[in-house]
Amino acid sequence: TDGDVRRLFGEQPGHVPAHTVMTTTPKTVAAETLAGDALALMSADKITSLFVLRDSKPVGRLHILDCLMAGVV
């Protein structure tokens, strides 16, 4: 996630394995989740993106800016 990348600042990213900084249990929502509900979850958890799942498989990623640009409030 972008938070994982931000935590790398000050390190030499080319020398840090991804698995040492990645989020191992990212927040997710079902594909059928309403955008407003997803935005509320991101706001409550102070995160900027969610993985979108269908049948427990990732089908996309929703970023908070996607919601805001679409006028979701």
Side-chain angles (χ1 to χ4, degrees):
T1 65
D2 59 327
D4 298 323
V5 173
R6 282 195 306 270
R7 285 185 282 281
L8 271 181
F9 288 131
E11 301 288 332
Q12 293 183 350
H15 298 94
V16 179
H19 72 86
T20 64
V21 295
M22 70 181 195
T23 300
T24 57
T25 54
K27 300 285 184 175
T28 64
V29 292
E32 299 78 19
T33 301
L34 296 176
D37 293 339
L39 181 60
L41 176 62
M42 287 186 271
S43 179
D45 288 349
K46 296 182 171 70
I47 58 175
T48 58
S49 62
L50 296 165
F51 283 98
V52 180
L53 306 180
R54 179 175 286 124
D55 298 324
S56 300
K57 295 181 179 144
V59 294
R61 181 180 66 102
L62 180 66
H63 194 276
I64 196 166
L65 292 178
D66 298 328
C67 295
L68 298 177
M69 290 176 61
V72 177
V73 290

